[in-house]
Amino acid sequence: MNFASDNTGPAHPKVIEAVLKANEGYALPYGADPFNELASARVREVFEAPDAAVYFVATGTAANALILATLTEPWQRIFCHEASHIEEDECGAPEFFGSGVKLTLIDGPDAKMDPNALRHSVASVGTKSVHNVQRGPVSITQVTECGAVHSLEEIGALTAVAHEFGLPVHMDGARFANAQVALGCSAADMTWRQGVDAVSFGGTKNGCMAVEAVVFFKPDHAWEFELRRKRSAQLWSKHRYLSAQMDAYLRDDLWLEMARSANAMGQKLADGLSNMSHADIKHTPDANMIFASLPRGAHRRAVNGGASYYMTHEALEGGHEIDPITCRLVTNWATTEEDVDCFLDLLS
Amino acid sequence: MNFASDNTGPAHPKVIEAVLKANEGYALPYGADPFNELASARVREVFEAPDAAVYFVATGTAANALILATLTEPWQRIFCHEASHIEEDECGAPEFFGSGVKLTLIDGPDAKMDPNALRHSVASVGTKSVHNVQRGPVSITQVTECGAVHSLEEIGALTAVAHEFGLPVHMDGARFANAQVALGCSAADMTWRQGVDAVSFGGTKNGCMAVEAVVFFKPDHAWEFELRRKRSAQLWSKHRYLSAQMDAYLRDDLWLEMARSANAMGQKLADGLSNMSHADIKHTPDANMIFASLPRGAHRRAVNGGASYYMTHEALEGGHEIDPITCRLVTNWATTEEDVDCFLDLLS
Amino acid sequence: MNFASDNTGPAHPKVIEAVLKANEGYALPYGADPFNELASARVREVFEAPDAAVYFVATGTAANALILATLTEPWQRIFCHEASHIEEDECGAPEFFGSGVKLTLIDGPDAKMDPNALRHSVASVGTKSVHNVQRGPVSITQVTECGAVHSLEEIGALTAVAHEFGLPVHMDGARFANAQVALGCSAADMTWRQGVDAVSFGGTKNGCMAVEAVVFFKPDHAWEFELRRKRSAQLWSKHRYLSAQMDAYLRDDLWLEMARSANAMGQKLADGLSNMSHADIKHTPDANMIFASLPRGAHRRAVNGGASYYMTHEALEGGHEIDPITCRLVTNWATTEEDVDCFLDLLS
Amino acid sequence: MNFASDNTGPAHPKVIEAVLKANEGYALPYGADPFNELASARVREVFEAPDAAVYFVATGTAANALILATLTEPWQRIFCHEASHIEEDECGAPEFFGSGVKLTLIDGPDAKMDPNALRHSVASVGTKSVHNVQRGPVSITQVTECGAVHSLEEIGALTAVAHEFGLPVHMDGARFANAQVALGCSAADMTWRQGVDAVSFGGTKNGCMAVEAVVFFKPDHAWEFELRRKRSAQLWSKHRYLSAQMDAYLRDDLWLEMARSANAMGQKLADGLSNMSHADIKHTPDANMIFASLPRGAHRRAVNGGASYYMTHEALEGGHEIDPITCRLVTNWATTEEDVDCFLDLLS
């Protein structure tokens, strides 16, 4: 019953198997391995984007920070939700990779930027000629940090604001698969068809060991990106172990299958909690991450029964006084029906 | 017959097996996995350094750049050989991670800094008060980029210069194991006993998939390092796949066994080439990397026969005019006697 | 009738005279001029801080960005008001000089941080171990960007929050003299006696050509600061022209005299506007900067009559629709009673 | 008899007078002052470059570092002489402003890059795809740090190498006027007609207080430069004091008159030293800077007689053992015949 994060779960056996197979014999380093071309082709196919520039890195923070540095001049700002991963959980990686860019925080429910708040913010900054930090890209987190999924319309409303001002759009898709499955759309629908320019396409959280694809739909910045990747120590010498993971991940829709399972378990969990009078679900649990408030007593029973998950900061710090507490529960491809049932039993 | 690099060879089955085993069930992320403590303890034991701060990253460039950024203020310079990896092969990662540090290049045979040249350089820079870039760490590459290994005395002579001026010392040990085996000494002998402060302890080139240990013998900079690692997107969420590799690498002296085998094949190759009248060995081939000049005819026979290796830049660019050409031949743990024999046969 | 900014007015004749006098003969460069020691001693005397490290630079942005870079690690954040100059008007200089620091914005009336909002913000960030940007200095703008002056108690309340968390405190004193005159206190009272660690002590806006003093009450970072100043191209070769300005500025209380005059004209302006039924004063006009809303008709009369001042951004963009409009009126040492009377006449 | 540097001398009375005159009344800030347009027009006229983008900053290091940052991507390198000011005397400003660029040092007599050495260096770096730092601009120092002046042919030979590889060319013209006077050519001849793209056009060393013009012959990077200037705290609020200096500097050929005088005194000094058997002139003293070796006895007589100048580092450190010592003697617009005669008398 581990709901701590989708990064606490194992990699899928098929991913491990692919790494094992990629280990046979010799392969050229630094992305010249045969798996790289195979895996890149799969990514382009998934996105119906034959001209896309595709690269692999080992962490989601690397994908985000490298893409954003490529899209942002040092004297520009990135517009993102105040709860976004790039603001909250990357120790300033966007600022570091971007040589001192600024993040401008937009509010909105469920960790989705409100398009009007975004428009207001974009309109009101960068207006003092050289005196203030200029406008730069808009970054959308899909699935959001609150477990909600932007609808296609919601994505389109944000990209519309960006385009009004001529700004590029990045999508942090650390949980891309979970979002796509939740929407039942295609990868293209969720990205370039809505005006997204570049995507951090996550693999790690959804059953890989450590691999994220970087996708630029227009390859203008390709060479710059390659230099940035190397310079930031993100280019693997034995690159085949990255490519092989992504190759297996996308083969035979394994990635969607895993996301479907994780989301189904998330839904089951949300349904179970909804039926409990003493549990209260926060945000819209669209995919595989649920925030719920629980009485401390139920929480204690769950933990004593072997469940593992994070509480929000307030609950951690507040000691025994805060009751109920808010918990974050994340399912992954390996979460079983038994895990969920057992956890719900402990709570009730 | 692949002698292109030690990063073109496969990972050792025991390393892969360890990753497979680490994949079972759930594990805490970001270095809180159980393998991390095990692997760190092994590193401390290997170095006889119970207080050392130990971290794992995926690339050698990351290990080098992060250590050097931690040891160097942005207005300081790093002293290194002009052929060193940090100068030649990292696309400016030290400058990027170090917020604009300068590399000052020292000459010397076999890609070893000449201690007198180092002393002269250190003494003559940073002397104009605020006007010039100040002195900072000395970085030693062991095995050197020319395949030579610094003796303990040679390391001591360089650290002595550094200490004369109060400067810290870094060792780029991407091929640490090969060097240690070549010297027949202990890891402690080759590092802190000679006055080295921090080591990039390589695993990738010597039979791992992607893992390098960062070792600070004094843990003063530990917290700063952790922040730098995260901020530069080098901290893995599913960290267990890094730790598990290092754990397997150090268990039962697997790392030394692999290095011994690679070095033995390197020696066999060097011996074979020495016996050929038309081959000429450059530099001192102390470990698993041999530079040799070959007649173009022999080179063609080797390549046509299936051998793979790099030529130096001049040979690549010079087309058909340059003859003989200089080749770099690197063995790795998986190189077989047959590989070497077959290659030597093709040449002769 | 120029109320556009205190940087549109001339330098005081005594300042110019001092520059002229400093021009006689030869002087050592880079701060070794005799005026440097004189002017530094005056700064130390003004602040009753015999051990303070004192430096001169030409712009307020340089003073702020250099001090903050010295007090902040790249992975830390600076807490400041959302309307502060470092956030709004320096094109990201703090982020650039600080190698990618983050600014965390605090709300509060009159561009003063609310101490509770500050405490809440400090308490709630940097709590996720390496995952988020760590806490760093608190920066107070005195006079605020809304023309208000923090009382000593208000400064003390902010530094108390900083000290609770062990954070250093910077004061952006671009209008330091105007604030001090408004409070009728000493420079020491307004700074280190309240727990301020470093000050950007402005001269430019208050009758100099281009000079700001950097003051660190504890000289721990002195050498680092000197290197940062040089490296950021802020160290003048003919440094005497900077020192001479500051020397004249502080001699015989010229700085306070100028600030008193500017503030008196500000008060006269505020009084006059208060007496007009159609004018509406925003914020508390404590020093030499007044924000007031005016009917468009009155505004047109003033401009046509030769008055010069800025409107807020909304007024500029909104064209003819916005009425009344908000104006910013800044007096300086050279503002005359006639300027104010004439302006008030035009409005009424 | 102050020959320490051309930055130890006073500003020309006409420059001071212009500052005094610019001080009358009010002026718009941040470069919107009337003097800015006047002075910029004069710069464009001097360079016969009506489309040039022209900006003013206060220090030569700022001009160099800002231009180079504009011309260089962070992963590129700047080619310059190993004795150049940007390498030796700016505490890493190019690396800081350029977010971690690398300087690649070229040898050559009289601090002039040897064109063949430059070609060899350019050809041999940046050839390993993403693995090494890429090629970037060539920076020529005119007058060189050894006091020599590149002939038009020598400049052309260096720009030809740059253009062979498609690289832009910067000229560090801290002593531009002295060089131009020495060559007897036009400013256009010495720059864009030889293929130079951007110039740091010095005023400070040649009779101004603190002003350098930045000149881009093609204004493509104009807006970026303006943002970089502001972000690096180099944009003055009371900008008129910068512009007014440059306006006076270029009016009625004052700048050339001052340089002519400085160079003539330099020549007189060089001639006098040449006639002394115990003095030995190093490098070619083409302009206003002479390097000469002197017996320690003569040196002592000069210093005791009131002469002031720098010795090279070795002489400073070596104590009494080094004899003769090498001295640097710099004349400026204010150097008189008496200064030179008196100095030569002391030596002989």
Side-chain angles (χ1 to χ4, degrees), chain C residues 151-234:
Chain C
S151 70
L152 298 189
E153 293 68 31
E154 287 171 330
I155 295 170
L158 293 170
T159 57
V161 175
H163 295 166
E164 235 175 80
F165 292 88
L167 307 177
V169 180
H170 164 247
M171 180 175 283
D172 174 358
R175 295 186 176 93
F176 192 97
N178 304 93
Q180 185 177 328
V181 161
L183 294 180
C185 67
S186 74
D189 286 344
M190 202 163 84
T191 56
W192 60 265
R193 289 212 181 100
Q194 301 303 327
V196 172
D197 298 285
V199 179
S200 305
F201 178 75
T204 311
K205 282 182 157 69
N206 187 34
C208 292
M209 292 161 58
V211 69
E212 313 280 310
V214 161
V215 187
F216 287 98
F217 295 115
K218 284 180 196 145
D220 314 6
H221 297 297
W223 178 233
E224 175 182 337
F225 184 88
E226 293 198 48
L227 290 159
R228 287 187 181 273
R229 177 173 57 163
K230 172 67 194 179
R231 180 173 173 77
S232 62
Q234 301 289 351

Side-chain angles (χ1 to χ4, degrees), chain C residues 281-303:
Chain C
I281 290 196
K282 314 275 188 190
H283 308 298
T284 316
D286 291 326
N288 64 322
M289 184 156 56
I290 293 101
F291 288 79
S293 77
L294 294 175
R296 228 165 231 283
H299 164 62
R300 263 188 228 108
R301 285 197 305 278
V303 169

Side-chain angles (χ1 to χ4, degrees), chain C:
Chain C
M1 287 176 300
N2 190 304
F3 303 112
S5 176
D6 27 16
N7 61 33
T8 58
H12 193 280
K14 288 188 183 168
V15 170
I16 296 282
E17 203 177 293
V19 167
L20 227 147
K21 206 174 154 206
N23 194 45
E24 285 164 17
Y26 287 78
L28 285 174
Y30 299 115
D33 60 289
F35 306 93
N36 186 49
E37 207 26 68
L38 277 173
S40 302
R42 282 194 204 280
V43 172
R44 288 191 200 97
E45 199 188 315
V46 158
F47 280 96
E48 305 166 50
D51 297 330
V54 177
Y55 303 102
F56 304 123
V57 293
T59 72
T61 297
N64 287 339
L66 282 168
I67 291 175
L68 288 169
T70 305
L71 297 179
T72 320
E73 296 286 355
W75 45 84
Q76 293 179 341
R77 61 180 87 216
I78 298 158
F79 298 91
C80 62
H81 194 276
E82 60 184 12
S84 64
H85 200 269
I86 59 172
E87 165 65 14
E88 280 288 302
D89 293 292
E90 303 187 351
C91 196
E95 288 92 340
F96 171 52
F97 283 71
S99 293
V101 299
K102 189 186 274 295
L103 270 60
T104 290
L105 308 181
I106 311 296
D107 205 355
D110 286 346
K112 296 174 182 173
M113 286 182 274
D114 176 83
N116 289 323
L118 176 62
R119 181 179 292 102
H120 178 77
S121 178
V122 176
S124 67
V125 301
T127 60
K128 295 181 181 175
S129 187
V130 297
H131 296 284
N132 44 27
V133 174
Q134 307 292 300
R135 296 160 184 153
V138 173
S139 178
I140 303 171
T141 315
Q142 176 81 319
V143 179
T144 78
E145 293 299 308
C146 291
V149 173
H150 294 84
S151 70
L152 298 189
E153 293 68 31
E154 287 171 330
I155 295 170
L158 293 170
T159 57
V161 175
H163 295 166
E164 235 175 80
F165 292 88
L167 307 177
V169 180
H170 164 247
M171 180 175 283
D172 174 358
R175 295 186 176 93
F176 192 97
N178 304 93
Q180 185 177 328
V181 161
L183 294 180
C185 67
S186 74
D189 286 344
M190 202 163 84
T191 56
W192 60 265
R193 289 212 181 100
Q194 301 303 327
V196 172
D197 298 285
V199 179
S200 305
F201 178 75
T204 311
K205 282 182 157 69
N206 187 34
C208 292
M209 292 161 58
V211 69
E212 313 280 310
V214 161
V215 187
F216 287 98
F217 295 115
K218 284 180 196 145
D220 314 6
H221 297 297
W223 178 233
E224 175 182 337
F225 184 88
E226 293 198 48
L227 290 159
R228 287 187 181 273
R229 177 173 57 163
K230 172 67 194 179
R231 180 173 173 77
S232 62
Q234 301 289 351
L235 177 61
W236 281 27
S237 57
K238 294 185 169 178
H239 186 275
R240 53 172 144 174
Y241 304 113
L242 280 182
S243 336
Q245 289 180 68
M246 187 53 73
D247 185 41
Y249 182 65
L250 296 181
R251 203 185 304 148
D252 301 332
D253 288 345
L254 174 61
W255 65 298
L256 294 171
E257 182 193 307
M258 291 194 285
R260 251 177 235 122
S261 179
N263 283 15
M265 291 308 101
Q267 198 52 51
K268 185 179 164 71
L269 195 52
D271 290 347
L273 290 165
S274 299
N275 291 334
M276 287 181 193
S277 58
H278 55 279
D280 190 17
I281 290 196
K282 314 275 188 190
H283 308 298
T284 316
D286 291 326
N288 64 322
M289 184 156 56
I290 293 101
F291 288 79
S293 77
L294 294 175
R296 228 165 231 283
H299 164 62
R300 263 188 228 108
R301 285 197 305 278
V303 169
N304 290 338
S308 176
Y309 50 86
Y310 288 109
M311 292 172 287
T312 54
H313 174 61
E314 290 72 26
L316 276 167
E317 299 289 297
H320 297 294
E321 295 110 58
I322 294 184
D323 192 358
I325 56 172
T326 300
C327 302
R328 190 188 77 154
L329 303 157
V330 194
T331 58
N332 75 92
W333 73 271
T335 306
T336 61
E337 302 229 349
E338 290 68 39
D339 288 337
V340 176
D341 287 334
C342 176
F343 176 65
L344 292 171
D345 280 356
L346 286 168
L347 289 184
S348 59

Side-chain angles (χ1 to χ4, degrees), chain A residues 12 14 181 252-262 333:
Chain A
H12 193 281
K14 288 189 183 167
V181 161
D252 301 331
D253 289 346
L254 174 62
W255 65 299
L256 294 172
E257 182 192 306
M258 290 194 285
R260 251 178 236 120
S261 178
W333 73 271

Side-chain angles (χ1 to χ4, degrees), chain A residues 32-48:
Chain A
D33 60 290
F35 307 94
N36 186 48
E37 209 25 69
L38 278 173
S40 302
R42 282 194 203 280
V43 173
R44 288 191 199 97
E45 200 188 315
V46 157
F47 279 97
E48 304 166 53

